[in-house]
């Protein structure tokens, strides 16, 4: 049979499977659109009150905007799902993607283009709604360019268009699991910008609402997208279905927990009373979405108990029936989510306070030790990060203990000391005052970049993970342990972990943040606070990994070189503090002026206090690092001496003598001198 005939036969065999996939996709889309239409009609968004004399965008925009947003969300979810299947769910051969995984990466390029097109349509409809003009009038003017480049909502959609086009282009040449994993991270990041500029950013507690929506979207995209691609994989009867299903089952459990918790926090941020769940259209839509979520949890539990064992035994029919029903319910939830984003939350009674509009809480009283210790403020992002750091480390220690292996108590104490300091810096009154006073912000910055990383690095989390994680079940495949090893040996890590690069990031980024408009822009957005927190932690961990790191690293400096690098680096923070103390202009003055603070020192005096904190703060971490470095140096020399003693003992047992060649030569020399003296 010729190659052309075989290809035609294969295509004919795949046609029924592809038809089943198309039917499932149409069912999911139909369910999502139906849920969107019903929810918009029930919530009142489909027929808003039109005031005579005011501009009206028309029914085309009124329906086109939610439908285009639904298409954008669905394409984004499917992009995440195809990349998740290629990078993680399906096995690979020493980092190279298999045939099925390559097919999903190829499909990603087309789905990502559809994502970009839906985002562009959403941008046009959003501008039409904002201006109250029909789409034809919007397309004929220059407003679209200004909206895409100057308005936060337009900028977020522009980022989606650019990033999704980049995903489509890079996916065409991706052949490794690492490339697919990088595109997966980019796809998850592309899901976030529109959510950060919706109702969440205008909620009373907008910090909690924004972070809740971000977490909600990421875990929901992984959950819905992964299951959708898994169903398509089963319908097409592709290999390794049982492996992909088992891996997705473990991931789906965490996604279910993440969706539930993030949804709870989002509700807390938007509703001021429990009764609003039953008395407002927004609350009723939330209840409907919650019901869909509970149904998904029940179906997932049934999967783990009944259908996965049947699938392992070779029966895929039951799995397909339940998974297809689950994907339809999931798309119903997506449709409800889009309708929810088109429905305004119940109006809240907000205090008359200038600071509340931008902070999400009233201006705190004058700073004092008592207020710093008592005015705690829950930050969802930092709280989630702290829970993950503590929980994963503790899980690793427990796994080693159950296996009968020991783990250093000192490393455990160091890690949880760092987590405790992180908790105090991001959840206590320090975090509340950090948005009001530059001095408090600088204290938080120095703590996050110079105290927390020291103890986290001394906790040796990578070494713990490498010992606790099990190797992949299939030879040549990548599990969590193999992914961690690959990242450690990647070219990117080799570059940023170079002592010169790590030091430059640690020093230069501080000057670049505060002496450019970046600091003012970061203070204006909750996302900016998150980025600063992550950067301070990562840059500090990278630098101290080079100085006192216990974990495997691409470069190992001698202890003398580490000591020199420490003493060369720390004065730059002192110079930075002196520069702040010498300034006569206020950094991010627009941010601090709008808060209306009436107590305490002036903005310039508080900034000078912040400079003094930066100037003097370095002494404490320097002392801690010196103690750790001295202990490591002593341990290194002690281990070297013991190894030399063991070699000497072995040589003595084998050849006689002391086992130390230099000592034996010296003893021979003394013996010769004694014999010569005796002869004389």
């Amino acid at each position: 049979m010729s190659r052309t005939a075989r290809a035609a036969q294969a295509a004919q065999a795949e046609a029924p499977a592809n038809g089943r996939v198309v039917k499932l996709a149409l069912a999911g889309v139909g369910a999502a659109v139906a849920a969107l239409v019903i929810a918009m009609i029930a919530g009142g968004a489909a027929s808003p009150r039109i005031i005579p004399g005011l501009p009206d965008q028309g029914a085309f925009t009124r329906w086109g905007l939610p439908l285009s947003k639904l298409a954008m969300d669905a394409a984004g979810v499917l992009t995440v799902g195809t990349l998740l299947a290629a990078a993680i769910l399906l096995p690979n051969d020493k980092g190279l993607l298999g045939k099925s995984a390559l097919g999903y990466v190829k499909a990603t390029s087309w789905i990502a283009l559809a994502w970009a097109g839906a985002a562009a349509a959403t941008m046009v409809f959003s501008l039409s709604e904002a201006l109250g003009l029909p789409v034809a009038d919007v397309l004929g003017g220059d407003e679209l360019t200004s909206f895409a480049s100057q308005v936060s909502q337009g900028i977020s959609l522009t980022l989606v268009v650019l990033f999704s086009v980049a995903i489509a282009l890079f996916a065409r040449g991706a052949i490794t699991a690492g490339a697919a994993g990088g595109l997966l991270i980019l796809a998850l990041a592309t899901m976030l910008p529109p959510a950060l500029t919706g109702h969440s950013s205008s909620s009373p507690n907008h910090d909690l609402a924004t972070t809740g929506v971000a977490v909600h979207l990421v875990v929901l995209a992984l959950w819905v997208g992964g299951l959708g691609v898994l169903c398509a994989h089963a319908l097409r009867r592709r290999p390794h279905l049982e492996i992909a299903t088992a891996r997705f089952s473990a991931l789906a459990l965490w996604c279910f927990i993440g969706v539930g918790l993030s949804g709870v926090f989002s509700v807390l941020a938007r509703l001021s009373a429990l009764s609003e769940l039953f008395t407002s259209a927004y609350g009723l839509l939330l209840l409907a979405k919650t019901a869909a979520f509970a149904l998904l949890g029940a179906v997932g539990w049934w999967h783990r108990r009944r259908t996965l064992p049947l699938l392992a035994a070779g029966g895929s029919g039951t799995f397909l029936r339940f998974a297809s029903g689950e994907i339809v319910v999931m798309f119903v939830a997506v449709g409800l989510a889009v309708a929810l984003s088109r429905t305004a939350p119940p109006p809240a009674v907000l205090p008359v306070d200038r600071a509340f509009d931008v902070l999400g809480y009233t201006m705190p009283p004058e700073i004092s030790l008592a207020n710093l210790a008592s005015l705690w403020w829950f930050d969802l992002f930092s709280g989630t990060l702290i829970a993950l750091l503590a929980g994963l480390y503790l899980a690793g220690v427990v796994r080693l203990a159950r296996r009968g292996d020991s783990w250093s108590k000192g490393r455990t104490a160091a890690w949880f000391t760092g987590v405790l300091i992180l908790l105090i810096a991001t959840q206590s009154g320090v975090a509340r005052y950090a948005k009001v006073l530059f001095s408090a912000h600088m204290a938080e910055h120095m703590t996050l970049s110079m105290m927390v990383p020291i103890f986290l690095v001394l906790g040796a989390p990578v070494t713990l993970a490498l010992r606790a994680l099990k190797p992949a079940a299939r030879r040549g495949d990548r599990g969590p342990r193999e992914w961690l090893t690959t990242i450690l040996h990647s070219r990117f890590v080799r570059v940023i972990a170079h002592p010169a690069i790590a030091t430059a990031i640690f020093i230069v980024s501080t000057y670049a943040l505060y002496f450019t408009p970046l600091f003012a822009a970061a203070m204006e957005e909750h996302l900016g606070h998150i980025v600063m927190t992550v950067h301070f932690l990562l840059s500090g961990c990278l630098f101290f990994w080079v100085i006192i790191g216990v974990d495997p690293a691409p470069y190992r400096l001698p202890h003398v070189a580490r000591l020199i690098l420490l003493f060369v680096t720390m004065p730059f923070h002192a110079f930075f503090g002196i520069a702040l103390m010498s300034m006569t202009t206020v950094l991010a003055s627009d941010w601090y002026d709008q808060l209306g603070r009436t107590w305490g020192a002036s903005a310039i005096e508080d900034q000078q206090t912040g400079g003094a904190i930066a100037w003097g703060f370095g002494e404490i971490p320097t002392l801690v690092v010196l103690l750790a470095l001295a202990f490591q140096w002593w341990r290194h020399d002690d281990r070297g001496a013991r190894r030399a003693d063991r070699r000497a003992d072995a040589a003595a047992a084998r050849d006689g003598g002391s086992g130390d060649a230099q000592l034996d030569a010296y003893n021979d020399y003394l013996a010769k001198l004694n014999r010569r003296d005796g002869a004389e």
Side-chain angles (χ1 to χ4, degrees):
M1 183 181 296
S2 65
R3 181 180 300 178
T4 304
R6 287 196 300 269
Q9 186 177 2
Q12 186 177 4
E14 282 193 5
N18 292 334
R20 291 192 294 269
V21 173
V22 171
K23 289 180 181 178
L24 177 61
L26 291 176
V29 171
V33 172
L36 171 63
V37 172
I38 295 173
M40 285 191 62
I41 294 175
S47 54
R49 180 183 178 186
I50 300 175
I51 301 176
L54 294 181
D56 177 35
Q57 67 271 22
F60 182 54
T61 296
R62 194 172 299 119
W63 285 101
L65 178 56
L67 288 174
S68 63
K69 191 175 185 304
L70 176 62
M72 181 180 70
D73 291 345
V77 165
L78 290 177
T79 300
V80 171
T82 52
L83 291 172
L84 176 67
I88 297 176
L89 299 184
L90 293 174
N92 55 76
D93 185 12
K94 297 181 180 179
L96 294 177
L97 298 176
K99 182 179 179 180
S100 298
L102 283 173
Y104 290 130
V105 173
K106 299 294 184 184
T108 297
S109 62
W110 296 105
I111 300 173
L113 285 178
W115 191 4
T122 303
M123 185 187 304
V124 174
F125 285 121
S126 298
L127 179 59
S128 173
E129 182 188 53
L131 298 179
L133 297 175
V135 172
D137 296 343
V138 169
L139 293 175
D142 298 331
E143 294 86 356
L144 186 60
T145 303
S146 301
F147 181 73
S149 59
Q150 298 178 12
V151 181
S152 59
Q153 187 179 5
I155 293 173
S156 67
L157 292 171
T158 301
L159 292 176
V160 174
V161 173
L162 295 177
F163 290 165
S164 55
V165 169
I167 292 171
L169 294 177
F170 286 116
R172 293 183 179 274
I175 61 173
T176 65
L183 292 175
L184 174 61
I185 294 174
L186 180 58
L188 291 173
T190 308
M191 297 287 296
L192 298 179
L196 302 180
T197 56
H199 288 310
S200 59
S201 61
S202 58
S203 300
N205 190 346
H206 48 263
D207 289 1
L208 182 61
T210 299
T211 308
V213 168
V215 175
H216 196 75
L217 273 177
V218 168
V219 294
L220 193 63
L222 291 170
W223 191 13
V224 179
L227 182 63
V229 175
L230 204 61
C231 288
H233 195 80
L235 288 171
R236 298 176 67 197
R237 304 188 187 282
R238 293 298 186 182
H240 308 304
L241 176 62
E242 66 283 355
I243 297 176
T245 305
R247 293 180 178 180
F248 178 75
S249 178
L251 176 66
L253 176 61
W254 291 105
C255 289
F256 180 80
I257 295 172
V259 168
L261 291 178
S262 60
V264 169
F265 287 123
S266 298
V267 170
L268 292 176
R270 288 175 174 83
L271 301 182
S272 56
L274 185 62
S275 60
E276 291 177 344
L277 280 173
F278 310 96
T279 58
S280 65
Y282 190 87
L284 293 175
L285 288 179
L286 274 176
L287 290 176
K289 188 180 175 184
T290 302
F293 171 73
L295 180 59
L296 288 174
V299 174
W301 173 81
W302 182 266
H303 269 309
R304 295 176 67 90
R305 291 291 303 272
R306 302 297 296 272
T307 63
L308 290 185
L310 292 175
L311 183 63
S316 60
T318 305
F319 168 78
L320 279 174
R321 287 192 295 271
F322 274 93
S324 300
E326 187 176 2
I327 198 65
V328 170
V329 176
M330 280 187 169
F331 272 92
V332 168
V334 172
L336 290 173
V338 174
L340 201 61
S341 68
R342 302 294 305 145
T343 307
V349 180
L350 304 179
V352 181
D353 186 85
R354 294 171 59 184
F356 189 90
D357 295 335
V358 291
L359 297 176
Y361 52 86
T362 58
M363 174 65 66
E366 187 168 0
I367 188 170
S368 65
L369 290 177
N371 289 334
L372 287 173
S374 59
L375 295 179
W376 286 68
W377 177 256
F378 177 67
D379 179 77
L380 180 57
F381 174 80
S382 301
T384 303
L385 178 62
I386 291 168
L388 288 175
L389 292 176
L392 292 176
Y393 196 94
L394 184 60
V397 174
V398 170
R399 174 173 286 187
L400 289 183
R402 289 178 177 176
R403 204 166 60 195
D405 295 337
S406 61
W407 181 252
S408 170
K409 294 181 180 179
R411 292 179 181 179
T412 304
W415 178 266
F416 282 100
T417 299
V419 172
L420 177 61
I421 298 175
L422 177 61
L423 174 68
I424 295 173
T426 58
Q427 306 292 319
S428 70
V430 175
R432 189 185 288 253
Y433 282 99
K435 295 183 179 181
V436 176
L437 295 172
F438 183 84
S439 57
H441 166 83
M442 187 54 59
E444 184 184 46
H445 169 186
M446 291 297 158
T447 302
L448 293 176
S449 63
M450 300 179 67
M451 284 299 294
V452 175
I454 293 175
F455 293 100
L456 295 184
V457 166
L458 291 176
V462 176
T463 303
L464 175 62
L466 290 174
R467 290 183 57 185
L469 292 172
K470 299 178 181 179
R474 292 172 56 90
R475 185 177 179 85
D477 195 10
R478 282 186 182 174
R481 191 177 191 277
E482 288 74 20
W483 272 109
L484 182 58
T485 304
T486 301
I487 293 172
L488 283 175
H489 292 88
S490 66
R491 184 177 302 177
F492 174 75
V493 172
R494 286 188 62 84
V495 171
I496 65 170
H498 190 281
I501 302 298
T503 304
I505 293 174
F506 186 63
I507 297 173
V508 176
S509 61
T510 300
Y511 287 84
L513 173 64
Y514 291 98
F515 297 144
T516 65
L518 287 175
F519 178 64
M523 292 298 290
E524 292 287 345
E525 300 288 343
H526 178 58
L527 181 61
H529 292 279
I530 293 176
V531 171
M532 284 193 293
T533 298
V534 173
H535 171 73
F536 294 154
L537 286 172
L538 292 182
S539 62
C541 288
L542 182 63
F543 174 72
F544 289 110
W545 182 28
V546 174
I547 299 293
I548 55 173
V550 182
D551 290 323
Y555 306 95
R556 280 295 180 188
L557 293 177
H559 289 87
V560 175
R562 300 183 191 185
L563 190 62
I564 294 174
L565 185 60
L566 175 66
F567 284 121
V568 168
T569 303
M570 288 305 162
F572 284 96
H573 283 277
F575 298 152
F576 168 71
I578 294 173
L580 288 177
M581 295 169 65
S582 304
M583 292 183 65
T584 57
T585 57
V586 178
L587 299 175
S589 57
D590 292 341
W591 166 262
Y592 291 110
D593 289 343
Q594 69 181 331
L595 298 179
R597 178 172 59 87
T598 57
W599 47 261
S602 64
I604 189 64
E605 292 174 341
D606 180 66
Q607 181 172 294
Q608 292 170 352
T609 302
I613 292 174
W615 174 62
F617 194 92
E619 296 181 2
I620 300 175
T622 300
L623 177 61
V624 176
V625 172
L626 283 176
L627 293 175
L629 189 57
F631 179 76
Q632 291 176 353
W633 200 341
W634 171 77
R635 288 286 303 273
H636 178 268
D637 290 346
D638 182 62
R639 286 194 297 266
R642 282 184 288 176
R643 283 195 299 268
D645 290 342
R646 287 194 297 268
R647 286 196 299 267
D649 293 340
R654 183 180 63 252
D655 303 326
S658 66
D660 189 330
Q662 293 181 350
L663 180 60
D664 290 340
Y666 182 67
N667 289 334
D668 290 341
Y669 173 72
L670 292 179
K672 290 178 181 179
L673 290 180
N674 289 332
R675 287 195 297 270
R676 187 169 57 186
D677 292 341
E680 293 178 355

